[in-house]
Structure formats: C-alpha cells, structure tokens
C-alpha cells in the first residue's frame, strides 16, 4: 500500500495507472461501516483509493473538530489488510491553501434536517467531496446510506454538475444490538449508549407498522417519538427518496430519518423502505 499525502502527487500517480478506480472517502477512526465500503470497492475495481481527511470546513464553530477521534496507525493497518492500493492522507493546507472558491449546498435541501441543526455543514461536505473526486477521478465512489442527506446531496451534485463518477450507496452496518456504527459512538457512556438503542428501536417500530399496513407518516412518526422518549429529538421525519414530504409511506421510495441526542452526542440513523 502506498501512502500519499500530496493531492498533486496522487493525481500524477493515478495518471500512470490503468483500469477502474474505486474510491472510499472517510474522516478516519475506521470501523466496520467504513470497512464494508472498502471491501465492496476492493471487489469492484482494479485500483482502490481510500482517503482519510478530517475535513475542517464541515464542522461548525463549537463542534467536535478538535476532539473528533483519530486512530491513524490503526486506520493504516486496516487499510493495508483490506487490500487498499493507495491511502490518501492529505493535510488541511494542501487541501485548501487559501482557497476562495467553494461550493454552496442547495438552499432548501442543504438547510433542512442535518443542515438545519448544522447550518453550512453541507457546504463543507460538498466542497471537500468535490475536491476529493477531482483529485482521484474515480470510476466508482462509495458512500454510506447512514448519512442519507449527505448521500442525497452528493448524488445531486454529481448529476447536476455532470460529473462522471458512479455513486454507490451502501447499507448501514450496525452493532449486534442495532446501534448504527459511527466514529462518534465512542463519546457515549454506558447509560447513553443504552438510551441510544431507542433510535434503532424506533426504526424497527416503523418497520413493523409499515409491514402491518399502517403507512400514514404522521402516525408512524408519533409512535417513533414515543419509542425515543426521553431522548432529545432533533428530528424524526419521513420523506420520499428525493427528500420531499409525503403523507403515506411509498414502498421502495421512502426514507425515515432520525437524529437524536444521547448525552451530548448527536446520532443519526435512518431506514430506507
Ligand atoms: P465518515 O468517516 O463518518 O465521514 O464516513 C465515511 C463514509 O462511511 C461515509 O460515506 C459514511 O456514510 C460511511 N459510513 C459511516 N458509518 C457507516 C455505517 N455504520 N455503515 C455504513 N457506512 C457508514
């Protein structure tokens, strides 16, 4: 495995390579969720590039940029063992310098849900993903459905800016008790971690209701809120896959999204039905 930190050097290196390129962008502190993306990308491409970059522009002032978990050595080993060809490990100056150009997230879609809790967050996400995709120029790029709104906005960016990458959406990997894996789970103490299970439990409640024919979104949301109690809820919502409001679940075209706060930690989860 090669470790390259300079974007231009990576571009030069990739010019010398032939065949399809798979790309998995991450912020590090790799877990089984990331590994599932890496494995799929390994299987589907001749060359595999993984990036680890804790992107400062997607953190708002006062958020956890400084305390975000880093596990550089363990991450390198995981990448090595997963058959990664190139680990791209850039620094902030090489990625941003004194940039004056950045992307703006869409006015509505970028400022609802996670974008309402974290206004401006998706400007940083889209800017860094655009940069990374331009550096790597992959055939296929792999993203998790766990960050559903991020995935939606990246898919939109790729389509509307006529980018040639194929975006591959991957299912959420969970702990055996249902908790969606996240680098931020290490912030949870024992009590908060138990409380956090109410998030995946609320999605199971929704699944049960839908499978028994109860598809009215308001009714499902009400039951999910009861399951989540007493967690602080940022949002519970049911949208179609274009992120528009719907009154009834449309099988095959619906995403149910939850953000709740356990202790001090914001946790996202969702269900695609
Ligand atoms: P992050 O390092 O949090 O920026 O995540 C890097 C990629 O891994 C993103 O596309 C995430 O959506 C994806 N990811 C994070 N957690 C999971 C998970 N539990 N299951 C599947 N993919 C995930």
């Amino acid at each position: 495995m090669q470790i390259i930190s300079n974007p231009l050097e990576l571009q030069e290196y990739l010019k010398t390579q032939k065949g399809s390129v798979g790309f998995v962008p991450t912020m590090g502190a790799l877990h089984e969720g990331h590994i599932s993306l890496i494995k799929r990308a390994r299987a589907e491409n001749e060359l595999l590039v993984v990036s680890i970059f804790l992107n400062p522009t997607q953190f708002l002032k006062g958020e956890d940029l400084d305390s975000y978990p880093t596990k550089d050595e363990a991450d390198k080993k995981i990448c090595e063992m997963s058959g990664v060809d190139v680990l791209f490990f850039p620094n902030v100056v090489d990625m941003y310098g004194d940039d004056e150009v950045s992307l703006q997230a869409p006015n509505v879609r970028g400022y609802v849900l996670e974008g309402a809790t974290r206004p401006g967050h998706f400007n940083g996400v889209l800017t860094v993903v655009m940069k990374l995709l331009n550096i790597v120029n992959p055939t296929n790029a792999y993203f998790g459905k766990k960050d559903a709104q991020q995935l939606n906005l990246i898919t939109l960016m790729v389509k509307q800016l006529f980018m040639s990458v194929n975006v591959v959406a991957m299912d959420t990997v969970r702990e055996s008790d249902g908790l969606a894996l996240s680098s931020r789970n290490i912030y949870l103490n024992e009590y908060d971690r138990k409380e956090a299970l109410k998030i995946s439990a609320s999605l199971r409640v929704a699944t049960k209701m839908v499978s028994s024919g109860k598809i009215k979104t308001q009714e499902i949301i009400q039951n999910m809120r009861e399951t989540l109690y007493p967690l602080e809820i940022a949002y519970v919502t049911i949208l179609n896959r274009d992120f528009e409001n719907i009154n009834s679940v449309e099988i095959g075209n619906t995403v149910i999204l939850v953000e709740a706060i356990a202790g001090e930690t914001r946790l996202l989860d969702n269900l695609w039905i």
Side-chain angles (χ1 to χ4, degrees), residues 157-214:
M157 172 179 83
V158 164
K159 182 171 172 230
Q160 296 187 348
L161 299 186
F162 301 101
M163 298 166 71
S164 60
V165 61
N166 175 42
V167 171
V168 183
M170 297 283 298
D171 286 340
T172 300
V173 177
R174 299 173 179 283
E175 303 273 13
S176 53
D177 58 10
L179 184 69
L181 291 179
S182 161
S183 304
R184 290 190 166 100
N185 288 352
I186 60 154
Y187 298 151
L188 299 169
N189 64 26
E190 209 180 319
Y191 175 80
D192 295 335
R193 197 192 171 292
K194 248 194 196 149
E195 285 295 292
L197 292 178
K198 291 179 175 165
I199 299 171
S200 50
S202 75
L203 293 169
R204 287 197 297 278
V205 165
T207 310
K208 258 197 182 156
M209 289 183 74
V210 173
S211 34
S212 64
K214 293 184 183 141

Short mmCIF file of all heavy atoms in Angstrom, two decimals, residues 157-214:
data_model
loop_
_atom_site.label_atom_id
_atom_site.label_comp_id
_atom_site.label_asym_id
_atom_site.label_seq_id
_atom_site.Cartn_x
_atom_site.Cartn_y
_atom_site.Cartn_z
N MET A 157 -25.24 16.58 -6.61
CA MET A 157 -24.07 17.34 -7.12
C MET A 157 -23.49 16.64 -8.34
O MET A 157 -23.22 17.27 -9.37
CB MET A 157 -23.02 17.45 -6.02
CG MET A 157 -21.69 18.03 -6.48
SD MET A 157 -20.49 18.18 -5.15
CE MET A 157 -19.81 16.52 -5.08
N VAL A 158 -23.32 15.32 -8.22
CA VAL A 158 -22.71 14.55 -9.31
C VAL A 158 -23.57 14.65 -10.57
O VAL A 158 -23.07 14.84 -11.68
CB VAL A 158 -22.50 13.08 -8.86
CG1 VAL A 158 -22.25 12.17 -10.05
CG2 VAL A 158 -21.36 13.00 -7.86
N LYS A 159 -24.89 14.58 -10.36
CA LYS A 159 -25.80 14.64 -11.52
C LYS A 159 -25.83 16.05 -12.12
O LYS A 159 -25.65 16.23 -13.32
CB LYS A 159 -27.20 14.23 -11.04
CG LYS A 159 -28.24 14.21 -12.12
CD LYS A 159 -29.54 13.61 -11.62
CE LYS A 159 -30.62 13.78 -12.66
NZ LYS A 159 -31.84 14.35 -12.12
N GLN A 160 -26.02 17.04 -11.24
CA GLN A 160 -26.24 18.39 -11.76
C GLN A 160 -24.98 19.05 -12.28
O GLN A 160 -25.04 19.95 -13.10
CB GLN A 160 -26.93 19.24 -10.68
CG GLN A 160 -28.31 18.67 -10.37
CD GLN A 160 -29.14 19.52 -9.43
OE1 GLN A 160 -28.64 20.45 -8.81
NE2 GLN A 160 -30.41 19.19 -9.31
N LEU A 161 -23.82 18.62 -11.78
CA LEU A 161 -22.56 19.18 -12.29
C LEU A 161 -21.94 18.26 -13.35
O LEU A 161 -20.78 18.43 -13.71
CB LEU A 161 -21.58 19.45 -11.14
CG LEU A 161 -22.07 20.46 -10.09
CD1 LEU A 161 -20.98 20.76 -9.07
CD2 LEU A 161 -22.55 21.76 -10.71
N PHE A 162 -22.72 17.30 -13.84
CA PHE A 162 -22.30 16.40 -14.92
C PHE A 162 -20.96 15.74 -14.63
O PHE A 162 -20.07 15.68 -15.47
CB PHE A 162 -22.24 17.16 -16.26
CG PHE A 162 -23.56 17.76 -16.65
CD1 PHE A 162 -23.82 19.11 -16.46
CD2 PHE A 162 -24.56 16.94 -17.18
CE1 PHE A 162 -25.04 19.66 -16.80
CE2 PHE A 162 -25.79 17.49 -17.54
CZ PHE A 162 -26.03 18.84 -17.33
N MET A 163 -20.81 15.27 -13.39
CA MET A 163 -19.56 14.57 -13.05
C MET A 163 -19.71 13.12 -13.50
O MET A 163 -20.81 12.58 -13.51
CB MET A 163 -19.34 14.67 -11.54
CG MET A 163 -19.18 16.12 -11.10
SD MET A 163 -19.32 16.35 -9.32
CE MET A 163 -17.80 15.61 -8.76
N SER A 164 -18.58 12.49 -13.84
CA SER A 164 -18.72 11.18 -14.49
C SER A 164 -18.62 10.00 -13.52
O SER A 164 -18.73 8.86 -13.92
CB SER A 164 -17.70 11.03 -15.61
OG SER A 164 -16.42 11.14 -15.06
N VAL A 165 -18.42 10.29 -12.23
CA VAL A 165 -18.28 9.19 -11.26
C VAL A 165 -19.61 8.47 -11.03
O VAL A 165 -20.68 9.08 -11.07
CB VAL A 165 -17.73 9.75 -9.93
CG1 VAL A 165 -18.66 10.79 -9.33
CG2 VAL A 165 -17.46 8.65 -8.92
N ASN A 166 -19.52 7.17 -10.77
CA ASN A 166 -20.70 6.40 -10.39
C ASN A 166 -20.77 6.35 -8.86
O ASN A 166 -19.83 5.87 -8.21
CB ASN A 166 -20.55 4.98 -10.98
CG ASN A 166 -21.67 4.07 -10.53
OD1 ASN A 166 -22.83 4.47 -10.49
ND2 ASN A 166 -21.32 2.84 -10.18
N VAL A 167 -21.86 6.87 -8.29
CA VAL A 167 -22.00 6.88 -6.83
C VAL A 167 -22.66 5.58 -6.38
O VAL A 167 -23.74 5.24 -6.85
CB VAL A 167 -22.85 8.09 -6.37
CG1 VAL A 167 -23.19 8.00 -4.88
CG2 VAL A 167 -22.12 9.39 -6.68
N VAL A 168 -21.98 4.86 -5.49
CA VAL A 168 -22.53 3.60 -4.98
C VAL A 168 -22.96 3.80 -3.52
O VAL A 168 -22.17 4.24 -2.69
CB VAL A 168 -21.47 2.47 -5.06
CG1 VAL A 168 -22.07 1.15 -4.59
CG2 VAL A 168 -20.91 2.34 -6.47
N ALA A 169 -24.25 3.51 -3.25
CA ALA A 169 -24.81 3.71 -1.90
C ALA A 169 -24.79 2.39 -1.14
O ALA A 169 -25.26 1.38 -1.63
CB ALA A 169 -26.24 4.21 -2.01
N MET A 170 -24.25 2.43 0.07
CA MET A 170 -24.08 1.20 0.85
C MET A 170 -24.94 1.19 2.11
O MET A 170 -25.08 2.21 2.78
CB MET A 170 -22.62 1.08 1.26
CG MET A 170 -21.65 0.96 0.10
SD MET A 170 -21.67 -0.69 -0.61
CE MET A 170 -21.12 -1.68 0.76
N ASP A 171 -25.48 0.01 2.44
CA ASP A 171 -26.33 -0.13 3.62
C ASP A 171 -25.57 0.18 4.91
O ASP A 171 -24.36 0.02 4.98
CB ASP A 171 -26.87 -1.56 3.71
CG ASP A 171 -27.95 -1.80 2.67
OD1 ASP A 171 -28.53 -0.81 2.18
OD2 ASP A 171 -28.19 -2.97 2.34
N THR A 172 -26.33 0.54 5.92
CA THR A 172 -25.75 0.86 7.23
C THR A 172 -25.34 -0.41 7.97
O THR A 172 -26.12 -1.35 8.08
CB THR A 172 -26.79 1.63 8.08
OG1 THR A 172 -27.11 2.83 7.38
CG2 THR A 172 -26.25 1.96 9.46
N VAL A 173 -24.12 -0.40 8.48
CA VAL A 173 -23.64 -1.53 9.29
C VAL A 173 -23.93 -1.19 10.76
O VAL A 173 -23.72 -0.05 11.20
CB VAL A 173 -22.13 -1.75 9.08
CG1 VAL A 173 -21.62 -2.87 9.98
CG2 VAL A 173 -21.86 -2.08 7.62
N ARG A 174 -24.44 -2.20 11.50
CA ARG A 174 -24.86 -1.98 12.89
C ARG A 174 -24.14 -2.90 13.86
O ARG A 174 -23.65 -3.96 13.47
CB ARG A 174 -26.37 -2.27 13.01
CG ARG A 174 -27.20 -1.38 12.15
CD ARG A 174 -28.67 -1.76 12.12
NE ARG A 174 -29.33 -0.80 11.27
CZ ARG A 174 -29.63 0.44 11.65
NH1 ARG A 174 -29.42 0.81 12.91
NH2 ARG A 174 -30.17 1.29 10.81
N GLU A 175 -24.12 -2.51 15.13
CA GLU A 175 -23.71 -3.43 16.20
C GLU A 175 -24.79 -4.51 16.29
O GLU A 175 -25.92 -4.30 15.82
CB GLU A 175 -23.65 -2.70 17.55
CG GLU A 175 -22.73 -1.51 17.56
CD GLU A 175 -21.29 -1.86 17.88
OE1 GLU A 175 -20.94 -3.07 17.86
OE2 GLU A 175 -20.52 -0.92 18.13
N SER A 176 -24.48 -5.62 16.99
CA SER A 176 -25.46 -6.71 17.05
C SER A 176 -26.75 -6.26 17.77
O SER A 176 -27.82 -6.80 17.50
CB SER A 176 -24.87 -7.93 17.73
OG SER A 176 -24.34 -7.54 18.96
N ASP A 177 -26.64 -5.24 18.63
CA ASP A 177 -27.87 -4.78 19.31
C ASP A 177 -28.61 -3.69 18.53
O ASP A 177 -29.59 -3.13 19.02
CB ASP A 177 -27.54 -4.29 20.73
CG ASP A 177 -26.52 -3.16 20.75
OD1 ASP A 177 -26.21 -2.62 19.67
OD2 ASP A 177 -26.04 -2.80 21.84
N GLY A 178 -28.15 -3.38 17.35
CA GLY A 178 -28.91 -2.46 16.49
C GLY A 178 -28.30 -1.08 16.33
O GLY A 178 -28.63 -0.36 15.40
N LEU A 179 -27.41 -0.69 17.24
CA LEU A 179 -26.83 0.66 17.15
C LEU A 179 -26.03 0.81 15.85
O LEU A 179 -25.15 -0.01 15.56
CB LEU A 179 -25.92 0.91 18.36
CG LEU A 179 -25.30 2.31 18.45
CD1 LEU A 179 -26.38 3.35 18.77
CD2 LEU A 179 -24.21 2.35 19.51
N ALA A 180 -26.34 1.84 15.08
CA ALA A 180 -25.60 2.08 13.84
C ALA A 180 -24.17 2.46 14.19
O ALA A 180 -23.94 3.30 15.06
CB ALA A 180 -26.26 3.20 13.05
N LEU A 181 -23.20 1.85 13.52
CA LEU A 181 -21.80 2.18 13.79
C LEU A 181 -21.51 3.61 13.39
O LEU A 181 -21.97 4.08 12.34
CB LEU A 181 -20.87 1.24 13.01
CG LEU A 181 -20.85 -0.22 13.47
CD1 LEU A 181 -19.91 -1.03 12.60
CD2 LEU A 181 -20.44 -0.32 14.92
N SER A 182 -20.76 4.29 14.24
CA SER A 182 -20.36 5.66 13.95
C SER A 182 -19.06 5.93 14.72
O SER A 182 -18.88 5.43 15.84
CB SER A 182 -21.44 6.64 14.43
OG SER A 182 -20.90 7.94 14.56
N SER A 183 -18.18 6.71 14.11
CA SER A 183 -16.93 7.06 14.81
C SER A 183 -17.26 7.79 16.11
O SER A 183 -16.48 7.77 17.06
CB SER A 183 -16.07 7.96 13.92
OG SER A 183 -15.83 7.33 12.69
N ARG A 184 -18.42 8.46 16.16
CA ARG A 184 -18.78 9.24 17.34
C ARG A 184 -19.35 8.39 18.49
O ARG A 184 -19.55 8.90 19.59
CB ARG A 184 -19.79 10.34 16.98
CG ARG A 184 -19.18 11.45 16.15
CD ARG A 184 -20.14 12.64 16.03
NE ARG A 184 -19.49 13.82 15.51
CZ ARG A 184 -19.57 14.24 14.24
NH1 ARG A 184 -20.27 13.54 13.37
NH2 ARG A 184 -18.96 15.34 13.86
N ASN A 185 -19.60 7.09 18.24
CA ASN A 185 -20.17 6.26 19.31
C ASN A 185 -19.24 6.18 20.52
O ASN A 185 -19.71 5.91 21.62
CB ASN A 185 -20.47 4.84 18.81
CG ASN A 185 -21.67 4.81 17.88
OD1 ASN A 185 -22.35 5.82 17.72
ND2 ASN A 185 -21.92 3.67 17.26
N ILE A 186 -17.94 6.41 20.32
CA ILE A 186 -17.02 6.32 21.47
C ILE A 186 -17.26 7.45 22.48
O ILE A 186 -16.79 7.38 23.61
CB ILE A 186 -15.53 6.32 21.08
CG1 ILE A 186 -15.17 7.60 20.34
CG2 ILE A 186 -15.14 5.11 20.26
CD1 ILE A 186 -13.70 7.91 20.51
N TYR A 187 -18.02 8.46 22.08
CA TYR A 187 -18.37 9.53 23.04
C TYR A 187 -19.41 9.05 24.06
O TYR A 187 -19.65 9.71 25.06
CB TYR A 187 -18.98 10.75 22.34
CG TYR A 187 -18.10 11.47 21.35
CD1 TYR A 187 -18.68 12.13 20.27
CD2 TYR A 187 -16.73 11.52 21.50
CE1 TYR A 187 -17.90 12.83 19.36
CE2 TYR A 187 -15.94 12.21 20.58
CZ TYR A 187 -16.53 12.86 19.52
OH TYR A 187 -15.77 13.55 18.63
N LEU A 188 -20.09 7.92 23.76
CA LEU A 188 -21.23 7.51 24.60
C LEU A 188 -20.76 6.78 25.85
O LEU A 188 -19.97 5.85 25.76
CB LEU A 188 -22.15 6.58 23.80
CG LEU A 188 -22.78 7.14 22.53
CD1 LEU A 188 -23.44 6.03 21.72
CD2 LEU A 188 -23.80 8.23 22.89
N ASN A 189 -21.27 7.20 27.01
CA ASN A 189 -21.01 6.39 28.21
C ASN A 189 -22.03 5.26 28.24
O ASN A 189 -22.90 5.17 27.37
CB ASN A 189 -21.03 7.25 29.49
CG ASN A 189 -22.41 7.85 29.74
OD1 ASN A 189 -23.42 7.29 29.31
ND2 ASN A 189 -22.44 8.98 30.42
N GLU A 190 -21.92 4.40 29.25
CA GLU A 190 -22.73 3.19 29.26
C GLU A 190 -24.23 3.52 29.23
O GLU A 190 -25.00 2.93 28.47
CB GLU A 190 -22.41 2.40 30.53
CG GLU A 190 -22.59 0.92 30.39
CD GLU A 190 -22.23 0.21 31.69
OE1 GLU A 190 -21.23 0.60 32.32
OE2 GLU A 190 -22.98 -0.70 32.07
N TYR A 191 -24.63 4.51 30.02
CA TYR A 191 -26.05 4.88 30.11
C TYR A 191 -26.54 5.44 28.76
O TYR A 191 -27.58 5.01 28.24
CB TYR A 191 -26.26 5.92 31.22
CG TYR A 191 -27.67 6.42 31.28
CD1 TYR A 191 -28.67 5.67 31.91
CD2 TYR A 191 -28.03 7.63 30.67
CE1 TYR A 191 -29.98 6.12 31.94
CE2 TYR A 191 -29.34 8.08 30.70
CZ TYR A 191 -30.31 7.33 31.33
OH TYR A 191 -31.60 7.76 31.34
N ASP A 192 -25.75 6.35 28.21
CA ASP A 192 -26.17 6.99 26.94
C ASP A 192 -26.21 5.98 25.80
O ASP A 192 -27.07 6.06 24.91
CB ASP A 192 -25.21 8.13 26.57
CG ASP A 192 -25.28 9.25 27.58
OD1 ASP A 192 -26.32 9.39 28.24
OD2 ASP A 192 -24.27 9.98 27.72
N ARG A 193 -25.29 5.02 25.85
CA ARG A 193 -25.27 4.02 24.79
C ARG A 193 -26.54 3.18 24.83
O ARG A 193 -27.12 2.83 23.80
CB ARG A 193 -24.04 3.12 24.91
CG ARG A 193 -23.78 2.35 23.62
CD ARG A 193 -22.78 1.25 23.76
NE ARG A 193 -22.75 0.45 22.54
CZ ARG A 193 -23.74 -0.33 22.13
NH1 ARG A 193 -24.89 -0.40 22.83
NH2 ARG A 193 -23.64 -1.04 21.02
N LYS A 194 -27.00 2.86 26.05
CA LYS A 194 -28.25 2.10 26.20
C LYS A 194 -29.43 2.93 25.69
O LYS A 194 -30.29 2.44 24.96
CB LYS A 194 -28.47 1.79 27.68
CG LYS A 194 -28.34 0.32 27.97
CD LYS A 194 -28.90 -0.01 29.33
CE LYS A 194 -28.40 -1.39 29.72
NZ LYS A 194 -28.23 -1.51 31.16
N GLU A 195 -29.44 4.19 26.09
CA GLU A 195 -30.51 5.08 25.64
C GLU A 195 -30.51 5.19 24.11
O GLU A 195 -31.57 5.26 23.47
CB GLU A 195 -30.33 6.47 26.25
CG GLU A 195 -30.71 6.57 27.71
CD GLU A 195 -32.20 6.32 27.92
OE1 GLU A 195 -33.01 7.17 27.49
OE2 GLU A 195 -32.53 5.26 28.50
N ALA A 196 -29.30 5.20 23.54
CA ALA A 196 -29.16 5.38 22.08
C ALA A 196 -29.81 4.22 21.31
O ALA A 196 -30.17 4.39 20.14
CB ALA A 196 -27.69 5.49 21.71
N LEU A 197 -29.98 3.08 21.97
CA LEU A 197 -30.62 1.94 21.28
C LEU A 197 -32.06 2.25 20.90
O LEU A 197 -32.65 1.59 20.04
CB LEU A 197 -30.58 0.69 22.17
CG LEU A 197 -29.18 0.11 22.40
CD1 LEU A 197 -29.24 -1.09 23.32
CD2 LEU A 197 -28.55 -0.29 21.05
N LYS A 198 -32.63 3.27 21.57
CA LYS A 198 -34.01 3.64 21.24
C LYS A 198 -34.11 4.17 19.80
O LYS A 198 -35.19 4.18 19.22
CB LYS A 198 -34.50 4.72 22.22
CG LYS A 198 -34.69 4.15 23.62
CD LYS A 198 -35.14 5.19 24.60
CE LYS A 198 -35.42 4.51 25.93
NZ LYS A 198 -35.53 5.48 27.02
N ILE A 199 -32.98 4.62 19.28
CA ILE A 199 -33.01 5.16 17.91
C ILE A 199 -33.29 4.04 16.91
O ILE A 199 -34.23 4.14 16.11
CB ILE A 199 -31.68 5.89 17.59
CG1 ILE A 199 -31.50 7.06 18.58
CG2 ILE A 199 -31.65 6.37 16.15
CD1 ILE A 199 -30.15 7.72 18.52
N SER A 200 -32.49 2.96 16.97
CA SER A 200 -32.75 1.85 16.03
C SER A 200 -34.07 1.17 16.38
O SER A 200 -34.80 0.70 15.50
CB SER A 200 -31.59 0.86 16.00
OG SER A 200 -31.24 0.47 17.30
N ALA A 201 -34.42 1.16 17.70
CA ALA A 201 -35.71 0.57 18.10
C ALA A 201 -36.86 1.33 17.44
O ALA A 201 -37.84 0.74 16.99
CB ALA A 201 -35.84 0.59 19.62
N SER A 202 -36.73 2.66 17.36
CA SER A 202 -37.82 3.45 16.77
C SER A 202 -37.97 3.13 15.28
O SER A 202 -39.09 3.13 14.75
CB SER A 202 -37.58 4.95 16.98
OG SER A 202 -36.57 5.43 16.10
N LEU A 203 -36.86 2.81 14.64
CA LEU A 203 -36.94 2.44 13.22
C LEU A 203 -37.56 1.05 13.06
O LEU A 203 -38.27 0.79 12.08
CB LEU A 203 -35.54 2.49 12.58
CG LEU A 203 -34.95 3.90 12.48
CD1 LEU A 203 -33.48 3.85 12.10
CD2 LEU A 203 -35.72 4.75 11.47
N ARG A 204 -37.33 0.19 14.05
CA ARG A 204 -37.98 -1.14 13.98
C ARG A 204 -39.49 -1.00 14.18
O ARG A 204 -40.28 -1.70 13.56
CB ARG A 204 -37.37 -2.09 15.02
CG ARG A 204 -35.97 -2.56 14.63
CD ARG A 204 -35.55 -3.79 15.43
NE ARG A 204 -35.44 -3.52 16.86
CZ ARG A 204 -34.38 -2.96 17.44
NH1 ARG A 204 -33.32 -2.64 16.73
NH2 ARG A 204 -34.36 -2.73 18.74
N VAL A 205 -39.88 -0.07 15.05
CA VAL A 205 -41.31 0.21 15.24
C VAL A 205 -41.93 0.63 13.91
O VAL A 205 -43.00 0.15 13.51
CB VAL A 205 -41.52 1.31 16.32
CG1 VAL A 205 -42.92 1.87 16.28
CG2 VAL A 205 -41.18 0.77 17.70
N ALA A 206 -41.21 1.50 13.21
CA ALA A 206 -41.70 1.97 11.90
C ALA A 206 -41.83 0.80 10.93
O ALA A 206 -42.83 0.68 10.21
CB ALA A 206 -40.75 3.03 11.34
N THR A 207 -40.82 -0.07 10.92
CA THR A 207 -40.85 -1.23 10.01
C THR A 207 -42.08 -2.08 10.29
O THR A 207 -42.78 -2.51 9.36
CB THR A 207 -39.60 -2.12 10.21
OG1 THR A 207 -38.45 -1.30 10.17
CG2 THR A 207 -39.49 -3.19 9.15
N LYS A 208 -42.32 -2.33 11.58
CA LYS A 208 -43.46 -3.17 11.97
C LYS A 208 -44.76 -2.56 11.51
O LYS A 208 -45.64 -3.24 10.98
CB LYS A 208 -43.50 -3.31 13.50
CG LYS A 208 -42.97 -4.62 13.98
CD LYS A 208 -43.42 -4.86 15.41
CE LYS A 208 -42.86 -6.17 15.93
NZ LYS A 208 -42.79 -6.17 17.38
N MET A 209 -44.89 -1.25 11.73
CA MET A 209 -46.13 -0.58 11.35
C MET A 209 -46.35 -0.70 9.84
O MET A 209 -47.45 -1.03 9.39
CB MET A 209 -46.10 0.89 11.77
CG MET A 209 -46.20 1.06 13.27
SD MET A 209 -46.26 2.79 13.74
CE MET A 209 -47.92 3.25 13.27
N VAL A 210 -45.28 -0.43 9.09
CA VAL A 210 -45.43 -0.48 7.63
C VAL A 210 -45.78 -1.90 7.19
O VAL A 210 -46.67 -2.09 6.35
CB VAL A 210 -44.14 0.01 6.92
CG1 VAL A 210 -44.21 -0.20 5.42
CG2 VAL A 210 -43.90 1.48 7.24
N SER A 211 -45.12 -2.90 7.81
CA SER A 211 -45.43 -4.26 7.34
C SER A 211 -46.82 -4.70 7.75
O SER A 211 -47.39 -5.63 7.16
CB SER A 211 -44.36 -5.29 7.75
OG SER A 211 -43.83 -4.99 8.97
N SER A 212 -47.41 -4.02 8.76
CA SER A 212 -48.81 -4.38 9.07
C SER A 212 -49.80 -3.42 8.39
O SER A 212 -50.96 -3.31 8.78
CB SER A 212 -49.03 -4.45 10.58
OG SER A 212 -48.84 -3.18 11.12
N GLY A 213 -49.29 -2.68 7.42
CA GLY A 213 -50.18 -1.87 6.58
C GLY A 213 -50.45 -0.47 7.11
O GLY A 213 -51.20 0.30 6.51
N LYS A 214 -49.82 -0.10 8.23
CA LYS A 214 -50.01 1.27 8.76
C LYS A 214 -48.98 2.18 8.10
O LYS A 214 -47.83 2.23 8.53
CB LYS A 214 -49.85 1.26 10.28
CG LYS A 214 -50.94 0.48 10.97
CD LYS A 214 -50.81 0.59 12.47
CE LYS A 214 -51.85 -0.26 13.15
NZ LYS A 214 -51.36 -0.96 14.33
#
